Amino acid sequence: MFGALGRVASRRPWFIIAGWVVFAGLVISLAPTLEATTDQSEFLPSDYESIQAAELQAEAFPDTNSTVGAIVVFDRADGSPLSAEDLGTANQVMSQVGADLGQALDRVQPIDPSNPDVLVTPSQNQQIGFSIIGLAEGATGYAPEEFESVTDLRADLGAALDGTDLEAGVTGALAQGYDSQEASGNALAIVGAATILLIVVLLALIFRSVIITLMPIVIVGVVSSIATGLIAWANDVFDLKASSDVEVILLVVLYGIGTDYILFFLFRYRERLREGEDTRSAVAHALERAGEAIASAGGAVIVAFMALILSSLGIFRSIGPALAIAVAVTLLAALTLVPAVVTLLGKALFWPSKKYLVEPTGARFAAIGAALGRHPGRFAIASGGVLTILAVIAFSFSPTFDLGDSGLPDDVESVVATDKFTENVSAGASDPGYIMLTSEAQISRDDAAAFAEQVAGARGVASAQPAQASADGTTWQITFLLDENPSSDAAIKDVEGPVRDAAAAAAPSGTQAFVGGTTSIFVDFQQAMSRDYSVVFPVAALVIMVILALLLRSLVAPIYLMVSVGLGFAATLGMTTLVFQHIGGADGLIFLLPIYIYLFVVALGTDYNILMVARLREESREGKSPHDAAALAVRHAGPTIAAAGVILAGTFASLMLGGNSLLVSMGFALSFGILVAAFVMSMFFTPAITALLGHKAWWPGSGDEKRADEPELADA
């Protein structure tokens, strides 16, 4: 199959390239724009309590929106307490800017409804003053088209305070959504520039070729445009929600995997040229030999990502198919577009280098392979031992569900303003929670007040009071403030246990109570993730094992290959825990991290294992003993895996420039995991175990024996 595909690509390159150009043009011109959301509630299914509360709120109060849209925090530039004159200036400013708040923000809420002219509340210590602005009717607080209200408000405040001693910062749901979008855009630009620069530099060092350094940039650029359009279509058709980080992750995955697959092909192609073949024959032969490994590796990555559709969280149900689509387009390009372009370029591909036909004199990988072939047991114990030690540290991993702290850099305006507000006023007041008390019959104000009083006594609750009743009196909204920051782990624990328990116990007979708000959403996120870990991990591992069994015609090899990548996952989580928790002093790591590590390290680590084992099987079919086959596999496949691993690890490391703790920890974890996969798992552990097992590794088949119908091929 891959031999035939290689012959088509080498004989009809213009047809393949023209087909890709037309395909790209159609997708780019017709596909919708890929839009992201920062509203975490959109990622949860409707059977969770926080979502049921939100739906009840929308049904009972369709014409009101009690959500805080923005909080304006005033303080003095010199840090001294606010004077009466300062508060008067702040109040005048809020009266001025409150006249035109844009489409997403409602009126500035007065301190006392009976005195609507007083709009700024001082903190008890007089360090800050603040004003609360609600969301306008129909506004969500997360839609990109609403963010103009934030920029306008900030600009108006800056102009109004010019020449005074006061400073103002805007936070709240809308401001945080805007800052998150801006941070993601900045991260995309920074990560994109760093990724491209890294790929160019590393490819220049490896091949000494101008064209090869540019090839991944151009090809992956085309693939990225196509993949983004297809993902946007899929999101529209299947009503999927894209997280604000999806474009950054897509960029890294496309350039990392795309460059890897191009390298897999180019190293084989260069080998064939060194054997004296002409360009077309070398292209066909390279794809015949590398195509199966590339396709199997890509298939493993695709099914691992597609396993995320089993997640109960929309964030993973969306990003899983998105990444799978991106990898599928990349894989198709690697098997068709890359060989066609290489055929057209011919020997000019390596310009200006003139040494591409010269076998490297360096014996590093040959020496490593020879040592492994002589002592596979030592390599297996050493590499497995290192991974096991790091894996033990993974048990101390502590998850945090504080997405607010993880999603934004510390110096953005909404974070700075929130810190000032929570430090000087009340942590819980920055994002009040609510409880929907509902029944088929009317609920009296006295019952609602008694319910609120009991909830107020729960651990972690600063206050609770009835806010409003529905028109028919069957539903009351009870607003409560927490002692802790609503996005903090402490607040999440309080809502998960005491608050929800108190609400359920205090609900009068015949009524139901549903706890809603940001903190309640995070509680449900935690429950959903626990469920997903027990479903997505095993399914992804099982499907990858099936692919490995089909590729290798063996039931034994897939087992130790998955043990290898499993150790790699645990070792990666252990090292990340060691660096950020034990050394860095972090209270915990974002709860999303393990599933990202698992999917990327398992899926992409399997790529390198497949490449190594496929080469080892090839050497065995040439009549080599298990030990000699392992030695030659490391010698020939080692440079490819090393180069691909360094490039992919480098692209993931560029995520650390994204500016928030999620991307920093994810960038470190994934880059370390890829290095482990390339230089420990596939370079040492996998070939060593295969050499030790010998022919048994291929049971019940005979994957290491030369097939009678296999043509004679020169040693590669």
Side-chain angles (χ1 to χ4, degrees):
M1 171 185 174
F2 295 102
L5 186 59
R7 288 189 291 274
V8 171
S10 62
R11 293 172 184 173
R12 299 287 187 272
W14 280 114
F15 287 95
I16 292 176
I17 293 173
W20 275 94
V21 170
V22 172
F23 183 36
L26 289 173
V27 172
I28 293 171
S29 61
L30 298 177
T33 302
L34 180 61
E35 294 184 353
T37 178
T38 57
D39 183 358
Q40 303 301 333
S41 68
E42 293 193 26
F43 298 126
L44 280 168
S46 59
D47 57 338
Y48 283 93
E49 182 172 342
S50 60
I51 305 304
Q52 291 176 322
E55 291 174 346
L56 269 172
Q57 183 189 55
E59 180 182 344
F61 310 106
D63 299 325
T64 63
N65 192 338
S66 60
T67 303
V68 174
I71 302 174
V72 181
V73 179
F74 294 93
D75 66 341
R76 288 183 60 89
D78 58 11
S80 58
L82 298 176
S83 65
E85 183 181 353
D86 291 330
L87 288 171
T89 300
N91 196 76
Q92 183 179 359
V93 167
M94 287 310 301
S95 298
Q96 178 182 335
V97 301
D100 183 14
L101 290 170
Q103 64 171 0
L105 294 172
D106 199 359
R107 67 188 181 93
V108 182
Q109 299 175 359
I111 298 173
D112 181 355
S114 63
N115 189 5
D117 294 328
V118 181
L119 303 175
V120 178
T121 306
S123 61
Q124 256 189 340
N125 59 10
Q126 298 288 310
Q127 284 297 128
I128 69 165
F130 63 92
S131 291
I132 305 294
I133 306 175
L135 280 179
E137 181 181 346
T140 65
Y142 300 96
E145 60 269 17
E146 299 171 2
F147 291 152
E148 186 178 343
S149 295
V150 175
T151 58
D152 290 346
L153 175 59
R154 287 174 172 172
D156 291 344
L157 285 168
L161 291 174
D162 187 32
T164 72
D165 295 326
L166 295 179
E167 295 179 335
V170 181
T171 184
L174 194 64
Q176 289 167 351
Y178 169 76
D179 286 342
S180 179
Q181 182 192 59
E182 290 297 293
S184 296
N186 294 337
L188 182 63
I190 294 170
V191 171
T195 298
I196 291 172
L197 179 62
L198 177 74
I199 290 173
V200 168
V201 170
L202 290 178
L203 288 180
L205 291 174
I206 294 169
F207 289 100
R208 308 290 200 277
S209 165
V210 173
I211 295 177
I212 289 179
T213 60
L214 298 177
M215 180 187 294
I217 310 303
V218 175
I219 290 178
V220 176
V222 173
V223 168
S224 176
S225 299
I226 295 172
T228 301
L230 295 178
I231 292 166
W233 260 325
N235 285 357
D236 279 359
V237 171
F238 298 104
D239 193 27
L240 299 174
K241 306 296 182 183
S243 76
S244 58
D245 291 324
V246 68
E247 288 187 284
V248 178
I249 297 172
L250 274 175
L251 177 75
V252 172
V253 169
L254 281 168
Y255 275 101
I257 292 180
T259 304
D260 268 12
Y261 292 168
I262 291 173
L263 282 178
F264 291 175
F265 174 80
L266 287 181
F267 271 93
R268 277 293 193 165
Y269 171 65
R270 189 173 64 177
E271 283 184 26
R272 301 319 306 164
L273 291 178
R274 287 171 177 169
E275 293 293 329
E277 292 188 3
D278 62 83
T279 296
R280 289 188 176 181
S281 298
V283 166
H285 190 111
L287 193 58
E288 181 177 4
R289 284 299 179 91
E292 185 178 27
I294 293 173
S296 300
V301 175
I302 290 169
V303 297
F305 289 153
M306 284 303 296
L308 288 173
I309 62 175
L310 301 174
S311 172
S312 58
L313 290 172
I315 185 173
F316 288 127
R317 284 203 310 275
S318 172
I319 201 171
L323 292 173
I325 290 170
V327 174
V329 178
T330 304
L331 177 60
L332 184 61
L335 296 175
T336 57
L337 182 58
V338 172
V341 170
V342 169
T343 300
L344 284 181
L345 292 173
K347 295 180 180 180
L349 175 70
F350 297 96
W351 182 86
S353 173
K354 297 180 180 179
K355 295 184 178 181
Y356 66 93
L357 293 177
V358 179
E359 186 75 27
T361 56
R364 186 178 298 110
F365 289 99
I368 293 173
L372 186 145
R374 290 192 302 270
H375 307 290
R378 297 179 186 177
F379 277 79
I381 292 172
S383 56
V386 170
L387 295 178
T388 301
I389 291 171
L390 291 175
V392 171
I393 303 175
F395 287 103
S396 62
F397 168 76
S398 176
T400 176
F401 290 81
D402 191 347
L403 290 174
D405 283 351
S406 298
L408 286 171
D410 294 335
D411 58 351
V412 301
E413 182 171 331
S414 61
V415 173
V416 174
T418 297
D419 290 343
K420 291 178 180 178
F421 181 84
T422 56
E423 180 182 350
N424 294 287
V425 183
S426 165
S430 64
D431 192 356
Y434 62 89
I435 302 171
M436 302 306 298
L437 184 65
T438 186
S439 173
E440 293 184 0
Q442 287 191 344
I443 301 173
S444 68
R445 174 175 286 276
D446 289 343
D447 284 344
F451 173 83
E453 184 177 354
Q454 292 187 58
V455 170
R459 189 194 75 196
V461 178
S463 64
Q465 58 185 6
Q468 56 185 331
S470 62
D472 60 4
T474 60
T475 301
W476 275 86
Q477 177 173 301
I478 312 299
T479 301
F480 67 91
L481 302 182
L482 294 169
D483 291 326
E484 304 291 341
N485 185 319
S487 296
S488 68
D489 294 330
I492 290 170
K493 290 178 182 178
D494 288 339
V495 170
E496 180 182 20
V499 176
R500 285 188 172 180
D501 291 344
S509 177
T511 68
Q512 287 183 291
F514 298 91
V515 180
T518 300
T519 312
S520 186
I521 289 172
F522 289 162
V523 170
D524 291 338
F525 253 72
Q526 185 175 12
Q527 295 175 357
M529 283 302 303
S530 298
R531 177 263 179 197
D532 287 353
Y533 284 148
S534 64
V535 174
V536 176
F537 282 16
V539 169
L542 180 62
V543 175
I544 291 175
M545 285 185 68
V546 170
I547 290 176
L548 290 172
L550 294 173
L551 169 67
L552 303 174
R553 287 87 171 174
S554 165
L555 296 179
V556 175
I559 295 175
Y560 67 81
L561 290 178
M562 288 309 299
V563 169
S564 169
V565 295
L567 272 176
F569 159 75
T572 300
L573 184 58
M575 177 58 82
T576 308
T577 301
L578 175 65
V579 169
F580 287 91
Q581 286 184 206
H582 298 294
I583 298 176
D587 293 331
L589 291 166
I590 191 67
F591 72 99
L592 300 171
L593 193 60
I595 201 163
Y596 277 123
I597 293 175
Y598 181 82
L599 288 167
F600 282 104
V601 173
V602 169
L604 302 180
T606 302
D607 277 11
Y608 301 137
N609 268 340
I610 287 174
L611 193 66
M612 180 61 75
V613 173
R615 188 60 185 247
L616 198 152
R617 180 184 62 178
E618 182 181 324
E619 298 296 345
S620 296
R621 286 177 172 176
E622 294 295 325
K624 309 296 189 303
S625 68
H627 286 221
D628 289 341
L632 288 170
V634 172
R635 175 183 177 182
H636 291 299
T640 308
I641 292 173
V646 168
I647 288 175
L648 187 57
T651 57
F652 279 125
S654 67
L655 287 172
M656 298 176 70
L657 302 174
N660 65 64
S661 60
L662 172 60
L663 291 180
V664 170
S665 58
M666 185 187 299
F668 174 86
L670 298 184
S671 59
F672 179 81
I674 293 302
L675 291 176
V676 166
F679 290 95
V680 181
M681 294 191 310
S682 63
M683 200 84 73
F684 298 145
F685 190 78
T686 295
I689 295 295
T690 306
L692 287 172
L693 290 175
H695 185 66
K696 298 183 184 67
W698 311 101
W699 185 87
S702 54
D704 58 337
E705 295 180 355
K706 184 177 179 65
R707 296 196 300 264
D709 61 341
E710 187 172 0
E712 293 291 338
L713 294 169
D715 178 38

